Amino acid sequence: MGQSTDQETFLNRIAQKLGRERRSGITPPEWPDHPYQNMTLPVTREDKIRHFIDNLAALDTRAEMISENEVAEKILDVIRRENVRSVVYQDDERLEQIGLGEGLQRAGVDTLKWSAEPDSKEQQLQNVEQADMGVTMADIGLAETGSVVLFNGGGRGRVTSLLPPIYVAFLEADRIVPRITQALKRIDEMAGAYRENGTPQLPSCINFITGPSRSADIEMDLSLGVHGPGKVYVFILDR
Amino acid sequence: MKQTQTQAEPIPFYRRVDEALKDPMLQKAVTIAQDRLRNGRIQAGEILGNVDEWRKRAEEIRRHTIENLDSYLEQLAANVQKAGGKVHFASDGDEAVSIIKTIAQEKQARSVVKSKSMVTEEIGLNEALEEMNIDVAETDLGEYIIQLAGEKPSHIIAPAIHKTREQVAELFSEKGKKRLSSETPELTAFAREQLRNKFINADIGISGCNFAVAESGSVVLVSNEGNARMTTTLPKTHIAVMGMERIAPTWRDLDVLLSMLVRSATGQKISVYVTALTGPRRAEDADGPEEFHLVVLDNGRSDILGTKYQDVLHCIRCGACLNVCPVYRHIGGHAYGGVYSGPIGAVLSPLLDGYDQWGELPYASSLCGACTEACPVRIPLHDLLIEHRQDMVNQGDAPMGERLLMKAYGFSTSRPGLYEKALKWGYRAAGFISDGDTIKKGPGPLKGWTDHRDFPRPASQSFREWWQKEKKGDS
């Protein structure tokens, strides 16, 4: 394949340039303390939720706390406000539990549930591309930044939160952590582990999403929705 | 292969600088961008409270990584393979291009989408693919603009800051064959629509790599627009190209590096998207690329290992040094000529390609040290620029006058009496060539200096004289 350099030749050259024997299997240091320990971060559940909401508000994005029986009503609000006609959502048990499918049906919009094994992957992709709005569950929330973290894979496709111009995330309040540190620690714990079939425990794609797609490439002037969704809503489930 | 230059026909550094200095639009645009990005970084640092502790930890992590680079690259490669990806090692740009061309041939690719990547600029990948009649689309809004204009990035983070909205509107109108206004939303919508089609039809997506996490074989990409997600999700094949130094050993290390990268680059606490990719799509996934290739590039980097310049490999490509540099402020990115501009470019380009091509760059600095102070991984940038100057003098690469001056300076400063005399005579002699308090056209060895900048006339009273009088109290 191409004229590539043999791995050992490549690595031996590095060792030689560093003026020492070739190294292998180095254990990363456990750094004694973490600089974030001096940051003022929210500790209580209420503070974490408040920070999460405030930090998204600073990005012109609405996050609000709702109870489970408000789901249908809240999603209908967004559908009306944004004039949504078609919605794609993840095949995720947690969305079923909060009655999203029923809520969407009552709203009278075209709905598509993402399928891990569709008849045609190309067709499914096209349908998502045509949809006005995508809905997912979030796996972790970050208070410091107002980010939602998605572990994609299987029924939780990558494109639901990417292609439609409007994106809605549901997030359980207890899944909000102070900052990215805690999320990466969790990923760190999964990183070295493998499933029975030998594939990594880490999903093939993890996304941290913080507000709407943005660019300042034209005269440093902010514009939203360049490639990803230009509007984002987060509903925090009080449970 | 060498770093690709901005123009096919190389234009001398001094002419590039002259052109930049004559361009008032460029001056204005660079100033606005610099101020906004720099202030953002400072504010974001203040929120951290103890930004110097973060910088120290980031430096420690980078130093440990580079000192053990062979081990971590081996671990990374093994983990990418376990996750179903393929790893290719490329000693230079030609090899990297050849690897990617072979993949493109195998896939019978006709179109490629790219998300912003400095390293693919470094190896001249677009030109190589276009020679194969492959349609290459840059998808970052700024990169798309300069690709249409047939130019190169002028800033690591904001590649099209030198373009005005009117110029962008003109480019887009020509491309879309319809008249567009210069309003940002209209221009953005046009780019979104054009590029959406490119994403959907592309055979291969090519991205850079902000960090590769060795312990899991994951490639981490940051983007605000979402083009990195599109590039790595829609095409059937994803190729990530990384400079070999861009490793984070663990996800815990990534925490510090990512926090520093985004804050230092744009002043955001986090970019809109942070995407971590571990191999291609799995059997149970219905989207994502079917094939994943990681190309690890040396291209002169290993020659920096074990030298006094090794710290430059700690760079995480945030662009903070550009945003504080008074020279960059006046001349913009293109004047540097290479892919990497600003202080980091002035240190890195001569190391990658030699003094013959980039010998002027270490002189494109006032040595004020603002770059070193801003660097989130504490690279002593201005010290390295001085090292370059010394090395050039020692190797005889510096201009004749520079060498003579350096020698004369070394001789006279080591003899205080002579130094005093030299200063006094300097003031008097300068009277013949100076225009008030500045020298605009210096003779002999001074000429190289004053051709492109004004030199202050030596003071009538030296600091040493002033200090002696001050001490006696008769000043």
Side-chain angles (χ1 to χ4, degrees):
Chain A
M1 169 88 53
Q3 280 82 53
S4 64
T5 298
D6 165 67
Q7 176 172 328
E8 274 314 296
T9 310
F10 191 96
L11 299 181
N12 284 336
R13 180 177 167 84
I14 292 174
Q16 179 226 325
K17 288 283 177 181
L18 283 165
R20 56 160 175 74
E21 293 289 298
R22 172 103 149 72
R23 284 183 191 162
S24 205
I26 291 289
T27 308
E30 285 287 338
W31 303 107
D33 52 6
H34 194 294
Y36 86 86
Q37 283 167 345
N38 297 317
M39 286 176 81
T40 321
L41 289 169
V43 181
T44 66
R45 183 177 187 267
E46 280 62 39
D47 276 353
K48 282 187 279 188
I49 293 168
R50 190 170 50 80
H51 278 237
F52 184 93
I53 292 172
D54 290 351
N55 283 316
L56 266 187
L59 302 173
D60 294 322
T61 296
R62 200 150 122 201
E64 65 176 307
M65 183 89 139
I66 65 169
S67 72
E68 226 163 287
N69 52 30
E70 287 177 296
V71 168
E73 178 193 329
K74 291 291 176 185
I75 206 83
L76 186 63
D77 276 352
V78 178
I79 285 169
R80 284 194 181 139
R81 189 178 316 131
E82 304 287 354
N83 201 16
V84 168
R85 279 165 300 187
S86 53
V87 178
V88 54
Y89 63 103
Q90 306 285 56
D91 181 6
D92 189 322
E93 234 174 65
R94 296 169 295 179
L95 288 177
E96 295 299 332
Q97 280 169 12
I98 60 171
L100 177 75
E102 292 161 44
L104 290 172
Q105 254 175 3
R106 262 194 282 153
V109 289
D110 287 340
T111 58
L112 169 70
K113 190 204 275 190
W114 177 263
S115 164
E117 291 170 324
D119 293 336
S120 158
K121 284 172 184 168
E122 274 69 32
Q123 187 57 49
Q124 173 163 269
L125 213 57
Q126 268 180 31
N127 292 342
V128 176
E129 211 275 318
Q130 295 299 317
D132 296 328
M133 184 167 109
V135 184
T136 78
M137 213 50 204
D139 296 286
I140 308 172
L142 313 181
E144 187 206 6
T145 46
S147 316
V148 292
V149 185
L150 309 188
F151 289 177
N152 295 117
R156 302 192 293 278
R158 305 178 188 194
V159 290
T160 315
S161 61
L162 179 63
L163 295 178
I166 301 158
Y167 168 53
V168 177
F170 286 95
L171 170 67
E172 291 162 6
D174 291 340
R175 288 181 181 255
I176 301 178
V177 296
R179 78 183 302 272
I180 195 172
T181 303
Q182 290 77 26
L184 293 183
K185 193 162 170 257
R186 193 172 140 202
I187 295 172
D188 190 75
E189 285 157 7
M190 295 161 71
Y194 295 87
R195 292 188 221 146
E196 277 171 26
N197 64 4
T199 59
Q201 288 278 9
L202 275 191
S204 59
C205 178
I206 302 173
N207 271 304
F208 292 69
I209 302 175
T210 311
S213 155
R214 61 171 53 212
S215 174
D217 276 345
I218 300 174
E219 289 193 358
M220 301 303 282
D221 186 17
L222 178 67
S223 60
L224 302 180
V226 192
H227 293 297
K231 287 227 165 107
V232 174
Y233 293 88
V234 181
F235 293 112
I236 302 166
L237 296 164
D238 189 6
R239 38 160 54 163
Chain B
M1 181 164 121
K2 300 288 174 186
Q3 221 187 109
T4 50
Q5 237 189 322
T6 308
Q7 284 86 9
E9 191 77 2
I11 297 175
F13 173 66
Y14 293 125
R15 254 194 40 219
R16 295 197 303 266
V17 172
D18 278 344
E19 275 167 25
L21 289 175
K22 279 184 219 138
D23 184 347
M25 294 306 295
L26 176 76
Q27 309 276 322
K28 197 180 122 206
V30 172
T31 307
I32 293 171
Q34 246 197 346
D35 289 347
R36 197 165 306 175
L37 293 171
R38 182 192 57 207
N39 292 339
R41 175 182 58 83
I42 291 167
Q43 278 165 14
E46 277 166 5
I47 299 171
L48 287 177
N50 52 339
V51 66
D52 283 332
E53 277 174 55
W54 284 82
R55 291 173 71 217
K56 275 182 197 149
R57 177 55 44 80
E59 182 194 2
E60 285 175 306
I61 292 170
R62 291 300 292 148
R63 187 173 304 286
H64 168 80
T65 306
I66 299 302
E67 280 171 358
N68 296 285
L69 193 58
D70 44 351
S71 177
Y72 286 121
L73 277 173
E74 181 177 56
Q75 188 189 13
L76 173 74
N79 284 324
V80 169
Q81 283 153 6
K82 271 188 213 162
K86 290 182 186 146
V87 183
H88 313 264
F89 288 91
S91 293
D92 58 25
D94 282 340
E95 272 189 24
V97 167
S98 148
I99 291 162
I100 295 164
K101 278 166 89 168
T102 307
I103 299 170
Q105 268 160 8
E106 267 177 22
K107 300 290 151 202
Q108 299 182 327
R110 295 167 63 185
S111 62
V112 162
V113 282
K114 286 182 69 210
S115 65
K116 201 164 100 53
S117 147
M118 298 300 290
V119 75
T120 58
E121 297 273 354
E122 180 186 320
I123 62 175
L125 182 62
N126 291 12
E127 294 80 359
L129 291 175
E130 279 160 3
E131 273 170 29
M132 297 170 71
N133 286 321
I134 293 175
D135 178 57
V136 182
E138 290 289 351
T139 62
D140 172 86
L141 181 56
E143 294 269 353
Y144 178 64
I145 292 168
I146 58 169
Q147 193 189 22
L148 286 183
E151 293 172 11
K152 291 278 176 188
S154 59
H155 190 286
I156 292 180
I157 300 300
I161 48 168
H162 60 287
K163 285 267 172 264
T164 64
R165 62 176 63 255
E166 287 76 22
Q167 289 170 327
V168 175
E170 206 158 295
L171 284 170
F172 284 10
S173 299
E174 197 182 314
K175 174 79 185 164
K177 299 190 172 59
K178 59 175 176 185
R179 193 69 222 155
L180 294 174
S181 81
S182 59
E183 297 298 312
T184 308
E186 189 171 340
L187 296 172
T188 305
F190 175 80
R192 178 183 167 107
E193 190 193 325
Q194 292 280 319
L195 291 169
R196 190 52 82 100
N197 287 325
K198 299 268 186 193
F199 283 124
I200 289 169
N201 295 312
D203 301 303
I204 298 179
I206 300 179
S207 72
C209 167
N210 290 104
F211 296 106
V213 186
E215 70 169 336
S216 62
S218 310
V219 165
V220 178
L221 295 166
V222 303
S223 108
N224 280 325
E225 299 177 2
N227 59 317
R229 288 185 67 192
M230 304 285 275
T231 302
T232 60
T233 298
L234 295 178
K236 286 209 164 96
T237 303
H238 170 208
I239 305 173
V241 189
M242 66 179 276
M244 67 177 197
E245 78 283 11
R246 320 226 45 184
I247 286 198
T250 69
W251 287 86
R252 282 163 291 139
D253 297 329
L254 183 72
D255 180 8
V256 176
L257 299 175
L258 202 57
S259 295
M260 293 314 279
L261 171 65
V262 183
R263 282 166 203 263
S264 306
T266 60
Q268 291 166 287
K269 285 187 279 189
I270 191 169
S271 52
V272 176
Y273 303 110
V274 177
T275 305
L277 300 156
T278 310
R281 76 161 75 159
R282 308 273 160 78
E284 69 272 22
D285 298 348
D287 61 2
E290 288 164 11
E291 264 186 43
F292 171 68
H293 297 265
L294 179 64
V295 179
V296 185
L297 178 73
D298 183 333
N299 206 30
R301 287 162 173 78
S302 58
D303 288 331
I304 304 172
L305 290 170
T307 72
K308 58 193 170 186
Y309 300 104
Q310 185 171 313
D311 284 6
V312 81
L313 294 174
H314 298 172
C315 175
I316 56 175
R317 303 284 189 273
C318 68
C321 59
L322 279 63
N323 298 329
V324 296
C325 177
V327 175
Y328 181 91
R329 190 179 187 87
H330 287 287
I331 66 176
H334 287 150
Y336 290 83
V339 172
Y340 304 104
S341 58
I344 183 67
V347 175
L348 189 58
S349 294
L351 292 169
L352 295 179
D353 299 333
Y355 292 135
D356 281 350
Q357 201 175 347
W358 305 117
E360 298 100 338
L361 294 187
Y363 293 90
S365 164
S366 65
L367 301 181
C368 69
C371 47
T372 301
E373 210 174 289
C375 178
V377 293
R378 291 163 39 102
I379 301 170
L381 286 160
H382 74 293
D383 291 337
L384 297 180
L385 287 171
I386 298 174
E387 296 284 0
H388 269 317
R389 295 184 188 188
Q390 257 168 14
D391 281 358
M392 269 188 278
V393 169
N394 292 340
Q395 291 172 24
D397 279 341
M400 187 63 167
E402 170 91 16
R403 266 182 285 156
L404 278 175
L405 277 179
M406 282 272 186
K407 272 198 185 142
Y409 182 75
F411 183 78
S412 64
T413 47
S414 56
R415 294 160 182 83
L418 193 58
Y419 185 60
E420 284 292 307
K421 282 203 181 81
L423 287 181
K424 273 210 177 334
W425 279 105
Y427 172 71
R428 285 176 202 156
F432 297 106
I433 51 169
S434 61
D435 174 10
D437 285 334
T438 57
I439 301 173
K440 290 199 167 129
K441 283 200 189 317
L446 265 182
K447 189 174 181 303
W449 181 278
T450 54
D451 271 355
H452 305 279
R453 59 209 129 176
D454 301 335
F455 193 80
R457 184 179 173 184
S460 60
Q461 189 180 34
S462 75
F463 173 77
R464 291 165 65 102
E465 279 178 342
W466 173 83
W467 183 245
Q468 290 301 328
K469 284 183 193 160
E470 190 74 354
K471 268 202 303 194
K472 287 182 207 146
D474 61 0
S475 179

